[in-house]
Amino acid sequence: MSGARGESPEAGAGGAGGRAAPENPGGVLSLELPGLLAQLARSFALLLPVYALGYLGLSFSWVLLALALLAWCRRSRGLKALRLCRALALLEDEERAVRLGVRACDLPAWVHFPDTERAEWLNKTVKHMWPFICQFIEKLFRETIEPAVRGANTHLSTFSFTKVDVGQQPLRINGVKVYTENVDKRQIILDLQISFVGNCEIDLEIKRYFCRAGVKSIQIHGTMRVILEPLIGDMPLVGALSIFFLRKPLLEINWTGLTNLLDIPGLNGLSDTIISDMISNYLVLPNRITVPLVSEVQIAQLRFPVPKGVLRIHFIEAQDLQGKDTYLKGLVKGKSDPYGIIRVGNQIFQSKVIKENLSPKWNEVYEALVYEHPGQELEIELFDEDPDKDDFLGSLMIDLIEVEKERLLDEWFTLDEVPKGKLHLRLEWLTLMPNASNLDKVLTDIRADKDQANNGLSSALLILYLDSARNLPSNPLEFNPDVLKKTAVQRALKNSHPKDEPENRLSQ
């Protein structure tokens, strides 16, 4: 039985092979003949119009017209099928279809981040309140910004706004995030993703130089933080409202008469970009607008709070950067002259330039005050120094919440927005102590690293709040005296005009 079962497959295979062999050629011919005839028919159908056109003496353009008509029909059929597929995909997975059909940069924040909510009701409220918001903005320009500009430079003592019209297009809020963790129980923190594109009309004048200029349109995009604190047990339940930007917003200003403005002494070294940066930094933390809602609140503590901590940034080295320098009109690729720009809020530091090196070593230390977390970030950009315009080498953003949790981060970070490159940082989170009991220990700990920073590492924070001055000596020849305040801590000297601002100085 086993022998029969073993031989039967062989016999069957052999028999099948013997029977199939004489039928193979006929099978191949029977399969190829219909395909051959179909190919001949298609070729004849294509050649027949050409032959007919030649026989009748017509132009060859008729052939091109027919081909164009055929291509249009196929394209129309393909677009119809694509629309049908998109509709079916939208029915199956609406979110994925939207993400594939729209660029990521065009999507609002509530699409990317699940903890950011869409707030159309808030946009409707802002639209209804916009005329009154415009009145507040005009008051802010005339009562706050105008005196600040006048006091910034003696050449601007006759500066004034002749017209302030923000326009009819209201500000839009693309997303709202409410913080519920790592916040004080007596405050509410909201982050608003705002976007404003307005055809405004703001005219200014400097009478001393017969100069007139203005702004035709403003665009501003960024993250604005709103803090409601302190929460109280009486109406209106909130003591004050504070508004500021966590980082420099994207600001674009369309000027009129800017060339006349930049001809004024003291402003001739500026440009529209520098002026926009100055305005942006004025809106960024630690600068803030605080509006008291009750009379009992201590407005000075809200406008100038004590920093949450100090971030010590060891800007060490980078590796595998891109070579941006070229020679012989791009035929020969060279290296780069990299340097870094570090930002924490409106605090900006710039490293030294390392010439002709794709793996530079800076070994520099910077210290920045951190006023708000969560939400505040460390921003680093690397550039290649060039005579005309510096080339971009990569960027990096680090959430300070992670640094506070770890207390010490010593890592290599991959650069964003570039194909290659990484940066070595050592980040330390320093908590402020209410007394000087640990000062000796702090001085001992930083002694080994003291030579790394330009002015040495700091061991304490000095906060000076200047409230007011009275009975100053008067000058009978000056009706509106220009008061200047000078503050010096060791070798650091700052000149500013009194406007209820604190002086925060890290001292050794």
Side-chain angles (χ1 to χ4, degrees):
M1 296 294 292
S2 62
R5 285 193 298 268
E7 292 175 359
S8 59
E10 295 180 4
R19 286 191 300 271
E23 295 177 3
N24 246 351
V28 171
L29 288 176
S30 62
L31 291 174
E32 290 183 353
L33 186 58
L36 182 62
L37 293 175
Q39 186 176 357
L40 289 174
R42 284 194 297 268
S43 301
F44 180 76
L46 291 174
L47 292 175
L48 181 61
V50 179
Y51 174 77
L53 290 173
Y55 181 77
L56 297 175
L58 300 177
S59 173
F60 186 73
S61 59
W62 289 98
V63 178
L64 298 178
L65 181 62
L67 292 176
L69 183 62
L70 179 62
W72 180 82
C73 293
R74 288 186 176 180
R75 183 175 179 274
S76 178
R77 194 182 303 119
L79 291 176
K80 183 178 179 181
L82 181 61
R83 288 194 296 267
L84 181 60
C85 292
R86 285 182 176 177
L88 293 175
L90 186 63
L91 290 175
E92 294 177 359
D93 191 348
E94 182 178 358
E95 180 181 355
R96 183 174 180 273
V98 171
R99 287 181 179 273
L100 292 177
V102 183
R103 295 183 305 170
C105 60
D106 295 333
L107 294 174
W110 56 267
V111 176
H112 297 285
F113 308 105
D115 53 354
T116 301
E117 303 175 2
R118 186 180 181 183
E120 281 303 315
W121 63 270
L122 194 53
N123 286 316
K124 295 177 181 178
T125 304
V126 171
K127 184 177 181 180
H128 188 72
M129 297 174 56
W130 187 246
F132 304 95
I133 296 176
C134 292
Q135 294 178 15
F136 168 75
I137 294 175
E138 181 177 0
K139 183 179 179 181
L140 177 68
F141 269 75
R142 297 189 184 280
E143 298 183 3
T144 303
I145 299 179
E146 185 175 303
V149 174
R150 285 181 175 180
N153 194 308
T154 56
H155 300 285
L156 302 177
S157 58
T158 58
F159 174 91
S160 64
F161 289 104
T162 58
K163 184 177 182 180
V164 178
D165 183 7
V166 187
Q168 302 298 321
Q169 187 67 27
L171 175 143
R172 179 164 182 83
I173 300 172
N174 298 321
V176 179
K177 179 179 180 180
V178 182
Y179 289 90
T180 57
E181 299 179 356
N182 301 319
V183 296
D184 192 344
K185 292 182 179 180
R186 296 192 62 194
Q187 67 178 191
I188 298 175
I189 300 179
L190 303 93
D191 282 350
L192 308 181
Q193 307 288 336
I194 69 165
S195 177
F196 175 68
V197 180
N199 294 323
C200 58
E201 189 175 354
I202 301 175
D203 297 331
L204 56 93
E205 181 183 16
I206 304 177
K207 295 181 180 179
R208 180 177 178 181
Y209 297 98
F210 305 99
C211 171
R212 291 186 178 182
V215 175
K216 290 196 300 183
S217 64
I218 295 178
Q219 291 191 36
I220 184 168
H221 309 274
T223 302
M224 184 173 69
R225 172 156 293 185
V226 178
I227 300 181
L228 308 175
E229 66 172 342
L231 301 180
I232 55 179
D234 298 324
M235 293 301 293
L237 301 179
V238 178
L241 173 71
S242 298
I243 302 173
F244 54 87
F245 283 89
L246 288 172
R247 64 189 66 88
K248 186 178 76 170
L250 175 61
L251 179 65
E252 294 183 3
I253 302 176
N254 187 7
W255 295 90
T256 59
L258 182 62
T259 54
N260 299 331
L261 185 65
L262 298 182
D263 288 337
I264 297 176
L267 299 181
N268 47 16
L270 301 179
S271 65
D272 57 343
T273 305
I274 296 176
I275 294 175
S276 298
D277 289 342
M278 292 170 62
I279 297 174
S280 298
N281 289 331
Y282 184 78
L283 304 173
V284 178
L285 196 72
N287 298 316
R288 64 178 71 198
I289 299 173
T290 302
V291 181
L293 303 179
V294 294
S295 58
E296 296 82 7
V297 68
Q298 296 182 354
I299 190 66
Q301 294 183 0
L302 296 177
R303 288 186 62 190
F304 314 116
V306 177
K308 307 291 184 182
V310 177
L311 178 66
R312 183 173 292 164
I313 307 163
H314 296 258
F315 195 66
I316 302 176
E317 59 181 327
Q319 284 186 1
D320 198 24
L321 298 179
Q322 288 182 289
K324 292 291 186 177
D325 295 338
T326 57
Y327 306 97
L328 300 178
K329 296 184 178 181
L331 297 177
V332 180
K333 287 189 176 182
K335 297 184 179 181
S336 294
D337 307 321
Y339 69 93
I341 295 180
I342 300 99
R343 291 188 181 91
V344 179
N346 69 345
Q347 303 167 87
I348 302 176
F349 311 96
Q350 180 171 333
S351 72
K352 60 185 177 183
V353 179
I354 306 296
K355 296 292 185 179
E356 295 289 331
N357 200 326
L358 299 181
S359 297
K361 294 184 178 181
W362 292 281
N363 291 320
E364 297 179 352
V365 182
Y366 308 98
E367 293 173 331
L369 299 175
V370 180
Y371 290 88
E372 285 292 332
H373 67 292
Q376 201 164 5
E377 295 177 327
L378 168 65
E379 305 174 54
I380 298 178
E381 291 181 315
L382 299 185
F383 293 94
D384 167 39
E385 187 184 49
D386 285 327
D388 47 2
K389 183 180 179 180
D390 295 347
D391 296 319
F392 180 70
L393 294 177
S395 64
L396 186 65
M397 296 188 69
I398 301 175
D399 193 346
L400 297 185
I401 283 291
E402 300 298 325
V403 183
E404 184 190 13
K405 289 180 180 178
E406 298 294 333
R407 295 288 171 176
L408 177 64
L409 277 179
D410 192 344
E411 296 181 9
W412 283 92
F413 297 91
T414 303
L415 295 174
D416 299 327
E417 303 180 63
V418 287
K420 63 177 184 177
K422 53 185 181 179
L423 181 64
H424 185 197
L425 299 174
R426 187 171 184 264
L427 306 176
E428 297 181 68
W429 180 269
L430 308 175
T431 304
L432 299 177
M433 301 291 182
N435 52 63
S437 59
N438 296 326
L439 184 58
D440 293 336
K441 182 179 181 301
V442 172
L443 291 172
T444 304
D445 292 340
I446 68 175
R447 193 165 296 155
D449 298 330
K450 193 170 184 179
D451 295 334
Q452 294 188 23
N454 295 333
N455 296 322
L457 299 180
S458 303
S459 58
L461 175 66
L462 174 65
I463 299 178
L464 173 62
Y465 177 74
L466 180 61
D467 181 72
S468 61
R470 297 179 181 178
N471 299 325
L472 297 177
S474 60
N475 186 353
L477 300 178
E478 199 170 4
F479 178 73
N480 187 14
D482 186 15
V483 181
L484 180 69
K485 171 173 61 70
K486 292 185 178 182
T487 306
V489 179
Q490 293 184 343
R491 287 168 290 180
L493 175 65
K494 181 178 180 181
N495 297 335
S496 60
H497 289 76
K499 51 182 178 180
D500 288 339
E501 65 175 7
E503 296 289 344
N504 293 342
R505 285 286 183 268
L506 290 167
S507 36
Q508 304 172 20

